[in-house]
């Protein structure tokens, strides 16, 4: 039986708009082999509840999204990592949070649990106390060869960035292997959301990754609305999209500048920083918050756009649009900069496909996926945004995807503000049971949120999957064979979220 | 072309905003904590080591924005440094995640005296929305001795600047002790 048919043979649960099928443990155990035979079924994520494991899939041929679940009998389930390398970190996280063991897993080392919480399996429903134990030393994958030496970096880095540990094995100047150890920012976000109403829990989705606060807020709101059968008002949908595109614009400007800066070319950084500041101030004028945090709520948006806010946004975007051609000429015409970005940090398109990497990481290596286009959602079904794809796979390709999206997003914001529907901006929410999911394209890729509500409308189970889960492992592949000095450049071109995956 | 633009930038008006004044009561309170010897050694400039102890990265975006040309942090004698060993101020963002407590403590141990710890953002102030999690100690004050709190989610660059300028002003103010 094909993997797709195997999943669909399970019991449907009535989840909206993407169905979830509950499989028997035996049927789940057949999944790894079936997945190996069916490379077009991409793994989007894995998570758990006490005694149950879940996985999300995307059928790349039809664009269909579906979920599979199975009981973890005796706290064990069949690992998917032998068939999908993207499953490795999810399986490690599931063991740390829900104390469920993936049988036959490629990697069974701890991931989020550094042995410092005082308990083991905090979300297992029955956490085991672990008082005062000495935190174990992390184990890193070994490297063999002559003249290998190790550079440990972090968790605190030299720049103003998030904490994480990078273990470089190098030979001469070249990186032989990079392994990231994350989890330093684990805040127990998912456990704090349980038992709350979706309105109260939205604050956690908005703080999963601050740079994607609109995208995650929207994905969470859309999942909650799907679970409750609520349609957000058209004006709120248009305002959400305008905010999401503004978020894409300010982050892409930031990344473009920082990539140049990491190649010691400061002018684009200064210029992009100034243009971005203009966009953020316009966002503050229009929506009352520079990053537009807590502006998207389940049921709609918290505030309508302020009078004069639209004009402020259009003026800021006009300044950005006017500067892009000359910035691009400067980016293109300096050999010292091109020498650093072209050919650096090459990500094999095969790897991008195998991990189902989204955003500029996937599209920079030829993977044609943008959640706004397929599976698609309102209002993009009417706006029909263009997909920016590059084949190069290097730092330069990822920058060029961003520049193309910058231009596209400016056009989208203009069209959205020009034809803003009239009417209310927030719909009331019923308190009832339901299950929903949503996929929303943030600046760094698709944000997948899933939740299940009990009869009182309180959250019983939830998972927020940042796109970085499927991008971080690829950074380790892309840096291989590059010189250590190019790591900041590669890292910034990926710009994965630490907080987003540390949960 | 880059060169003509650089020349125009050199002779043109700066893009940088006017500076905001630091709140006077904060200045007085901080001044009391600064010994005269510290003032002599620091001379109206502060080196800042930013440490993220578990933020959502919203605070990092705004701290980074402080260095853009509109805010131009360095004109006040404030600059970000790469190591706590070069720092006078640890600017800490995020709740104190348990997975970061050892790193935070080590960063403080590496920071030479006289030093100040600034907790920036609602999470750093008291844990924010993450208060009460099994993975969080609480605010930064649960792990490090905090001298100045800058609330906000995230604090805007203007609010951050106001707080940091208060530190500088306190250094310049006559001794209170």
């Amino acid at each position: 039986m094909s993997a797709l048919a195997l999943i669909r043979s399970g019991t449907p649960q009535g989840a909206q708009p993407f169905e979830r099928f509950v499989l028997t443990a035996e049927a789940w155990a057949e999944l790894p082999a079936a997945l190996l035979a069916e490379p077009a079924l991409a793994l989007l994520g894995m998570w758990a509840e006490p005694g149950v494991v879940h996985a999300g899939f995307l059928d790349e041929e039809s664009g269909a999204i579906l979920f599979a679940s199975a009981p973890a009998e005796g706290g064990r389930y069949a690992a998917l990592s032998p068939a999908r390398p993207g499953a490795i970190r999810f399986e490690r996280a599931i063991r740390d949070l829900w104390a469920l063991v993936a049988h036959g897993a490629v990697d069974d080392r701890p991931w989020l649990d550094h042995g410092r919480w005082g308990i083991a399996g905090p979300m297992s429903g029955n956490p085991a106390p672990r008082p005062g134990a000495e935190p174990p030393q992390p184990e890193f994958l070994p490297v063999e060869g002559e003249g290998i030496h190790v550079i440990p970096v972090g968790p605190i880095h030299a720049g103003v960035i998030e904490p994480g540990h990078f273990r470089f094995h190098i030979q001469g100047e070249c990186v032989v292997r990079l392994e990231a150890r994350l989890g330093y920012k684990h805040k127990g976000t998912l456990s704090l959301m349980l038992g709350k109403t979706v309105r109260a829990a939205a604050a956690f989705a908005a703080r999963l990754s601050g740079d994607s606060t609109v995208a995650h807020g929207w994905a969470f709101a859309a999942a909650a609305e799907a679970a409750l059968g609520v349609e957000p008002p058209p004006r709120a949908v248009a305002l959400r999209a305008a905010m999401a595109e503004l978020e894409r614009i300010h982050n892409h400007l930031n990344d473009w500048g920082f990539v140049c800066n990491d190649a010691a070319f400061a002018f684009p950084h200064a210029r992009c920083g100034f243009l971005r500041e203009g966009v953020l101030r316009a966002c503050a004028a229009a929506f009352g918050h520079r990053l537009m945090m807590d502006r998207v709520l389940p049921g709609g948006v918290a505030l309508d756009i302020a009078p004069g806010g639209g004009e402020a946004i259009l003026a800021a975007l006009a300044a950005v649009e006017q500067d892009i051609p000359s910035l691009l000429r400067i980016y293109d015409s300096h050999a010292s900069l091109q020498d650093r970005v072209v050919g650096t940090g090459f990500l094999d398109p095969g790897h991008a496909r195998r991990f189902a990497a989204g955003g500029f990481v996937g599209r920079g290596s030829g993977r044609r996926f943008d959640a706004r286009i397929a599976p698609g959602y309102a209002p993009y079904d009417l706006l029909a945004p263009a997909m920016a794809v590059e084949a190069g796979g290097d730092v330069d390709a990822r920058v060029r995807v961003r520049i193309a999206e910058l231009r596209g997003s400016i056009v989208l914001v203009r069209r959205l503000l020009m034809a803003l529907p009239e009417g209310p901006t927030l719909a009331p929410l019923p308190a009832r049971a339901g299950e929903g999911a949503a996929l929303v394209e943030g600046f760094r890729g698709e944000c997948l949120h899933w939740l299940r509500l009990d009869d009182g409308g309180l959250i019983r189970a939830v998972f927020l999957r940042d796109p970085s889960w499927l991008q971080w492992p690829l950074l380790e592949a892309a840096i291989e064979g590059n010189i250590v000095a190019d790591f900041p450049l590669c890292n910034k071109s990926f710009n994965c979220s630490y907080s987003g995956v540390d949960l | 072309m880059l060169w003509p633009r650089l020349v125009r930038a050199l002779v043109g008006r700066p893009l940088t905003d006017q500076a905001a004044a630091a709140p006077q009561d904060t200045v007085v309170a901080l001044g009391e904590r600064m010994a005269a010897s510290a003032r002599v050694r620091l001379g109206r400039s502060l080196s800042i080591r930013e440490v993220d102890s578990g933020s959502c990265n919203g605070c990092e975006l705004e701290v980074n924005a402080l260095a853009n040309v509109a805010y131009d942090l360095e004109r006040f004698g404030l600059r970000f440094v790469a190591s706590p060993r070069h720092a006078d101020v640890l600017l800490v963002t995020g709740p104190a995640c348990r997975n970061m407590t050892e790193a935070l403590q080590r960063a403080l141990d590496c920071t030479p005296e006289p030093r100040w710890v600034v907790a920036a953002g609602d999470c750093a102030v008291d844990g924010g929305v993450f208060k009460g999690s099994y993975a969080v100690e609480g605010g930064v004050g649960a792990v490090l001795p905090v001298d100045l709190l800058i609330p906000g989610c995230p604090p805007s660059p203007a609010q951050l600047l106001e707080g940091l300028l208060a530190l500088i002003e306190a250094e310049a103010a006559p001794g209170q002790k």
Side-chain angles (χ1 to χ4, degrees):
Chain A
M1 210 186 312
S2 78
L4 210 50
L6 188 65
I7 294 169
R8 289 191 169 134
S9 72
T11 318
Q13 301 295 305
Q16 294 296 328
F18 313 121
E19 190 53 283
R20 181 169 67 91
F21 300 90
V22 173
L23 279 63
T24 60
E26 292 73 36
W28 176 283
E30 290 171 31
L31 260 183
L35 285 171
L36 270 180
E38 206 171 314
L41 193 61
L43 179 82
L44 291 179
M46 289 173 78
W47 62 97
E49 281 175 70
V52 184
V53 63
H54 303 293
F57 295 95
L58 162 75
D59 180 15
E60 305 237 31
E61 274 162 17
S62 69
I65 286 168
L66 71 171
F67 300 108
S69 308
E73 288 165 0
R76 290 159 75 86
Y77 62 96
L80 302 185
S81 50
R84 291 290 179 275
I88 294 174
R89 290 188 181 176
F90 291 114
E91 289 172 356
R92 292 169 71 180
I94 287 173
R95 198 173 89 150
D96 290 350
L97 296 183
W98 289 279
L100 303 179
V101 178
H103 181 62
V106 171
D107 193 334
D108 61 0
R109 292 172 297 163
W111 179 244
L112 299 176
D113 186 357
H114 295 185
R116 294 170 186 270
W117 300 334
I119 48 172
M123 295 189 70
S124 63
N126 184 24
R130 202 171 41 185
E134 177 78 5
Q137 283 295 313
E139 275 177 54
F140 291 95
L141 298 173
V143 173
E144 281 177 33
E146 198 161 297
I148 301 280
H149 71 277
V150 178
I151 310 179
V153 182
I156 299 174
H157 301 279
V160 180
I161 51 170
E162 302 180 72
H165 182 88
F166 297 114
R167 187 61 63 107
F168 296 92
H169 284 85
I170 67 162
Q171 195 167 33
E173 272 292 287
C174 287
V175 178
V176 179
R177 165 175 265 162
L178 161 68
E179 203 185 344
R181 182 188 191 233
L182 306 178
Y184 291 92
K185 312 190 88 177
H186 180 71
K187 301 184 267 294
T189 304
L190 297 176
S191 81
L192 289 167
M193 296 174 85
L194 298 181
K196 291 198 166 65
T197 63
V198 291
R199 282 266 166 86
F204 295 98
R207 284 160 186 78
L208 183 69
S209 185
D211 49 16
S212 304
T213 180
V214 175
H216 278 298
W218 189 356
F220 181 77
E225 287 153 6
L228 293 167
V230 171
E231 246 345 285
R235 187 173 177 85
V237 171
L239 287 174
R240 282 176 181 180
M243 288 193 274
E245 296 307 321
L246 285 165
E247 184 172 80
R248 199 181 320 281
I249 292 167
H250 85 71
N251 278 298
H252 281 352
L253 277 173
N254 205 35
D255 287 354
W256 188 11
F258 265 99
V259 164
C260 297
N261 198 48
D262 279 343
F265 195 77
F267 179 80
H269 178 52
R271 199 61 212 164
C272 286
F274 185 71
L275 294 171
R276 174 176 178 271
E277 182 64 29
V279 174
L280 294 185
R281 288 179 184 185
C283 291
F287 302 109
H289 192 288
R290 287 162 56 88
L291 305 179
M292 300 164 285
M293 195 172 263
D294 296 325
R295 268 40 191 177
V296 180
L297 286 181
V301 293
L303 299 169
D304 204 342
I305 187 166
E311 290 74 33
I313 289 170
L314 293 177
L317 295 186
V320 176
E321 191 178 46
Q322 198 199 344
D323 232 17
I324 289 178
S326 73
L327 272 175
L328 187 56
R329 260 198 312 279
I330 289 167
Y331 175 82
D332 275 335
S333 63
H334 284 79
S336 57
L337 179 60
Q338 288 294 303
D339 179 54
R340 294 293 302 279
V341 294
V342 175
T344 305
F346 172 70
L347 172 63
D348 190 310
H351 285 324
R353 231 182 5 257
R354 217 164 296 131
F355 278 80
F360 37 75
V361 173
R363 291 194 287 276
S365 286
R367 182 170 178 264
R368 302 187 64 84
F369 179 80
D370 181 331
R372 294 177 298 174
I373 296 161
Y377 49 95
Y380 296 106
D381 42 357
L382 301 175
L383 292 168
M387 182 153 8
V389 182
E390 290 278 335
D394 53 4
V395 170
D396 181 58
R398 291 185 283 278
V399 168
R400 285 182 196 280
V401 168
R402 286 172 167 102
I403 297 169
E405 290 182 0
L406 255 179
R407 294 177 141 159
S409 292
I410 291 173
V411 175
L412 289 176
V413 174
R414 278 201 192 120
R415 287 174 60 192
L416 283 161
L417 292 181
M418 212 175 343
L420 212 49
E422 292 299 325
T425 53
L426 194 61
L429 298 179
R432 63 181 186 82
E435 182 177 328
L439 211 60
V440 166
E441 188 76 17
F443 87 96
R444 60 163 70 82
E446 79 288 352
C447 305
L448 170 67
H449 287 217
W450 170 88
L451 56 82
R452 202 177 67 242
L453 306 173
D454 65 15
D455 292 333
L458 303 180
I459 295 175
R460 285 297 292 272
V462 60
F463 192 66
L464 320 177
R465 200 232 50 189
D466 189 89
S468 302
W469 278 95
L470 301 171
Q471 298 167 342
W472 269 118
L474 296 172
L475 175 62
E476 298 177 5
I479 189 69
E480 226 177 85
N482 285 257
I483 59 172
V484 181
D486 278 344
F487 177 69
L489 208 51
C490 294
N491 193 21
K492 201 65 213 182
S493 76
F494 273 67
N495 190 17
C496 299
S497 173
Y498 299 68
S499 182
V501 299
D502 283 356
L503 295 172
Chain B
M1 281 297 291
L2 180 58
W3 294 112
R5 296 194 60 170
L6 287 180
V7 171
R8 275 203 304 278
L10 272 177
V11 296
R13 272 162 38 109
L15 301 170
T16 309
D17 291 342
Q18 281 286 318
Q24 206 46 44
D25 46 344
T26 320
V27 172
V28 173
L30 287 165
E32 284 169 5
R33 289 200 213 154
M34 295 212 180
S37 64
R39 272 185 213 112
V40 172
R41 278 180 58 183
L42 296 169
R44 277 184 74 83
S45 89
L46 290 176
S47 295
I48 305 166
R49 173 64 257 193
E50 201 268 355
V51 180
D52 175 354
S53 69
S55 79
C56 72
N57 77 29
C59 287
E60 274 57 51
L61 290 180
E62 295 298 53
V63 171
N64 265 320
L66 272 181
N68 74 29
V69 294
Y71 297 103
D72 188 17
L73 188 71
E74 297 215 8
R75 70 185 144 141
F76 303 110
L78 296 162
R79 60 197 189 102
F80 293 114
V81 293
S83 166
R85 294 182 200 281
H86 308 154
D88 310 306
V89 174
L90 286 186
L91 177 67
V92 189
T93 62
C97 286
R98 290 190 206 271
N99 284 354
M100 275 300 287
T101 46
E102 187 185 346
L104 264 187
Q105 190 58 55
R106 284 208 207 173
L108 184 77
D109 292 346
C110 291
T111 313
E113 297 268 15
R115 64 186 178 207
W116 290 270
V117 177
V118 179
D122 287 349
C123 294
V125 167
D126 66 352
V129 297
F130 301 104
K131 212 174 344 189
S133 162
Y134 62 86
V136 166
E137 293 282 356
V140 171
V143 180
L144 303 182
V146 171
D147 298 291
L148 176 67
L149 300 170
I150 304 178
C153 190
S156 67
Q159 287 170 305
L160 286 164
L161 200 53
E162 206 173 76
L164 293 171
L165 285 180
L167 270 179
I168 293 256
E169 295 287 315
E171 260 178 66
Q176 314 272 326
K177 270 184 185 170

